[in-house]
Amino acid sequence: MLSRARLRLLVALCAILLSASPAAWAQSQLRIIPPQDNQAVAAVLERGQKFEQQRKWADALTLYEEAAKRFPDNAVLDQHFNSAKMHYDLGRRYNDASFRNCIATLSETQALDLYSEVLLKVQTHYVANPDWQTMIVRGTRCLDLAVVEPAFVERQLKNVAAEKIDGFRQELATLINARPVRTRQDARDMVTAVERLAALRLAIPGPATVMEYISGATGSLDEYSSYLTPDQLTDVYSQIEGNFVGLGIELKAADQALLIVRVIPNSPAERSGIKAGDRITAVDGHSVQETNTDQAAEMLQGREGTVVEVVVVTGKDEPRRLRVRREHVDVPSVDDVKILDAQQGIGYLKLVCFQKTTSKDMDAALWKLNRDGMRSLIMDLRGNPGGLLTASVDVADKFIDDGIIVSTRGRSPQEDFNYSARKGGSWQVPLVVLIDGDSASASEIFAGAVRDHHRATLVGVRSYGKGSVQGIFPLSLAGAGLRLTTAKFYSPNGLPFAKVGVEPDILVRSAAKPLFDPNPAEPPVAPALIASGETGLTAIGPPEDATLAAGLQAARKQLAQR
């Protein structure tokens, strides 16, 4: 997902093997809750209920995810998050043509065999021993929700009376409670029985029922594991490779439109005059006002060489109607390479994600900066959701002389491994690393390594706090796959990342209007940014980028101390 209901059409799951989801913050611990926290949570729930009533599941999911960061121990928020996620995931599945094709083409036996294969992969590779009963319970919740959800009803239950659906739900609950599920075979037998009941009572195709249990099984494991439809699996491989077919833009839903966050250099979008900050209001004649991010993705995606018509608005200018050709786009993992301070030779680059091309992209960027007079480097990892573990190790290896970069530990001994520096730290320039709450997984591996080896000054706010490794496992049927958590990872000093993150040396705080406001009538606090930390530095700058200002100040201090 998400990792935040944010659509990245070009690098959407750039952090496939080490991606983040804000649900990681949802852990239980006992504490006294201040009254103002109760008020804030109540405000979130009130707003979230409105989204739920309007079936705006992406908005509800984003709201609960953000709230879970601030209130990680709130069981009610956690319940609403899980409910919104199941609704959102179901809509996403049925918006996926490859998923619908699987239901249409698989036989009942093939669907059950696919379910068995999923369970076997989980038993073999998952980081913890699977709880078969929990997997069945989650699958049953998915099916129970599906039979009343419009996306499912429209395709599988047209003209079925509500009374029949209610009767089925009651029988389903009785069936599930009739016997325990202790083994993998028990789980298959239970799903077989449910599939037959759904076919008998509601004429639901067997594969449609089984697919809900497959989604429920993976969804019950953790916030990072999931079933991948054939199209999603293809996208995963494309994003790991750093290429895809599309327009070359990164989007997120905003203000009843699709906000363009980034435009890839030399992409079809850039050649069409589309720029970051523009908004797409329509795709092929269809307004995106009520479109969620997954529906927008499906509208914009297509075969190489085909053309999509988009209506683009820049600021307050009149809308422009553009026809953009979908092409093969190579996504650079390193962007915005430049010298920020020519006099002192302070270089800058933004590391967007960690993919197969990252090490090569970094080499090209570093040598360019070196030719331009680089004496110090600022690496910007803000918003970097992660990516390939091996890519983060390769990048850290360029700056660390020797020793461990990261360690992984799993249920299987084959998942236990120490990744160590091997190139002798070929780049010895002073290093500043910018991080924020969206710097996750592979980004945290890099930040944790340079922190523990005292190789860099970290500037920003605490990173996301993801500490697990995911593997991608193709399935033999339907062209689908699984993303499964296989291990936990630890810093060179043996420190965990999960729900802890990496703390910066220089903290940069931004006082901005929160996502939820218990007192909306009061005027918002004026933005103010302050950076402070062990170095004693303080930076007050424009709201746009006080973190970068603090990073520059740190880089100058490093050079002055050499």
Side-chain angles (χ1 to χ4, degrees), residues 348-351 354 378-385 432-451 456-465 497 500-510 545-548 550-551:
Y348 170 91
L349 60 84
K350 185 170 183 62
L351 191 48
F354 291 88
I378 298 175
M379 286 182 60
D380 194 343
L381 295 183
R382 291 175 295 173
N384 184 324
V432 172
V433 177
L434 309 184
I435 58 174
D436 66 7
D438 292 324
S439 303
S441 59
S443 297
E444 293 174 294
I445 287 177
F446 178 84
V450 295
R451 173 199 64 189
T457 298
L458 304 185
V459 177
V461 298
R462 186 178 71 172
S463 65
Y464 182 81
F497 292 90
V500 176
V502 179
E503 292 285 350
D505 301 303
I506 301 173
L507 178 64
V508 182
R509 284 199 177 96
S510 174
D545 215 341
T547 301
L548 181 56

Side-chain angles (χ1 to χ4, degrees), residues 32 91 118 377:
I32 298 174
V118 168
L377 175 63

Side-chain angles (χ1 to χ4, degrees), residues 94-413:
Y94 274 87
N95 278 326
D96 187 322
S98 67
F99 177 82
R100 300 194 302 268
N101 184 62
C102 284
I103 291 176
T105 57
L106 288 177
S107 68
E108 293 176 8
T109 300
Q110 286 175 324
L112 288 167
D113 287 345
L114 181 64
Y115 180 69
S116 294
E117 185 179 4
V118 168
L119 299 187
L120 179 60
K121 295 284 189 188
V122 171
Q123 187 175 45
T124 304
H125 300 288
Y126 188 60
V127 68
N129 288 317
D131 184 331
W132 308 114
Q133 184 74 49
T134 298
M135 295 169 79
I136 285 293
V137 169
R138 177 80 174 211
T140 302
R141 288 182 64 193
C142 287
L143 180 60
D144 185 66
L145 178 152
V147 297
V148 294
E149 182 68 17
F152 186 94
V153 171
E154 175 67 21
R155 293 186 176 275
Q156 310 298 350
L157 293 172
K158 271 189 175 181
N159 303 318
V160 176
E163 293 79 8
K164 292 188 68 175
I165 295 175
D166 290 340
F168 166 75
R169 297 175 74 185
Q170 293 174 10
E171 284 192 78
L172 175 62
T174 301
L175 174 62
I176 294 300
N177 293 327
R179 61 179 185 266
V181 177
R182 297 190 179 94
T183 67
R184 183 159 51 93
Q185 185 60 48
D186 287 346
R188 171 164 176 147
D189 291 344
M190 180 64 80
V191 172
T192 301
V194 172
E195 178 266 329
R196 290 172 180 169
L197 178 66
L200 179 64
R201 296 289 186 260
L202 301 177
I204 297 176
T209 298
V210 175
M211 283 297 183
E212 293 307 308
Y213 276 89
I214 288 175
S215 300
T218 55
S220 73
L221 299 174
D222 59 51
E223 58 271 30
Y224 309 116
S225 299
S226 64
Y227 171 78
L228 298 172
T229 69
D231 282 355
Q232 288 171 346
L233 183 62
T234 299
D235 288 344
V236 164
Y237 289 139
S238 295
Q239 290 146 6
I240 289 175
E241 295 289 342
N243 58 69
F244 70 105
V245 172
L247 309 187
I249 51 180
E250 178 183 345
L251 302 172
K252 69 176 182 179
D255 298 327
Q256 298 182 328
L258 299 174
L259 177 66
I260 298 175
V261 178
R262 181 184 175 217
V263 179
I264 293 293
N266 302 316
S267 66
E270 185 185 60
R271 294 195 299 273
S272 298
I274 297 174
K275 298 179 180 179
D278 288 351
R279 290 175 294 119
I280 293 178
T281 59
V283 178
D284 284 335
H286 300 285
S287 172
V288 301
Q289 184 172 346
E290 298 298 330
T291 301
N292 65 41
T293 51
D294 290 300
Q295 290 171 334
E298 188 169 339
M299 293 165 66
L300 288 167
Q301 290 171 348
R303 298 189 310 277
E304 184 173 9
T306 59
V307 174
V308 60
E309 183 180 88
V310 293
V311 176
V312 178
V313 178
T314 302
K316 295 183 179 180
D317 295 345
E318 290 295 317
R320 293 174 290 151
R321 194 175 300 274
L322 303 174
R323 290 174 57 81
V324 187
R325 180 185 176 91
R326 299 179 178 98
E327 296 178 8
H328 179 91
V329 177
D330 289 321
V331 184
S333 59
V334 180
D335 195 12
D336 204 14
V337 181
K338 59 190 176 186
I339 297 291
L340 286 179
D341 184 334
Q343 184 175 0
Q344 298 204 43
I346 299 175
Y348 170 91
L349 60 84
K350 185 170 183 62
L351 191 48
V352 178
C353 65
F354 291 88
Q355 59 193 33
K356 277 192 175 181
T357 64
T358 299
S359 182
K360 180 183 68 174
D361 294 343
M362 277 293 298
D363 285 340
L366 289 169
W367 282 111
K368 176 185 183 302
L369 290 171
N370 183 67
R371 291 191 297 270
D372 293 342
M374 175 181 66
R375 297 175 56 236
S376 174
L377 175 63
I378 298 175
M379 286 182 60
D380 194 343
L381 295 183
R382 291 175 295 173
N384 184 324
L388 291 172
L389 183 151
T390 52
S392 67
V393 170
D394 289 342
V395 174
D397 196 16
K398 300 179 190 298
F399 299 95
I400 295 173
D401 287 330
D402 56 38
I404 293 174
I405 292 174
V406 67
S407 300
T408 61
R409 298 290 181 265
R411 178 162 60 102
S412 169

Side-chain angles (χ1 to χ4, degrees), residues 393 403-409 415-421 490-491:
V393 170
I404 293 174
I405 292 174
V406 67
S407 300
T408 61
R409 298 290 181 265
E415 298 293 342
D416 296 347
F417 195 79
N418 295 330
Y419 295 83
S420 300
Y490 301 86
S491 78

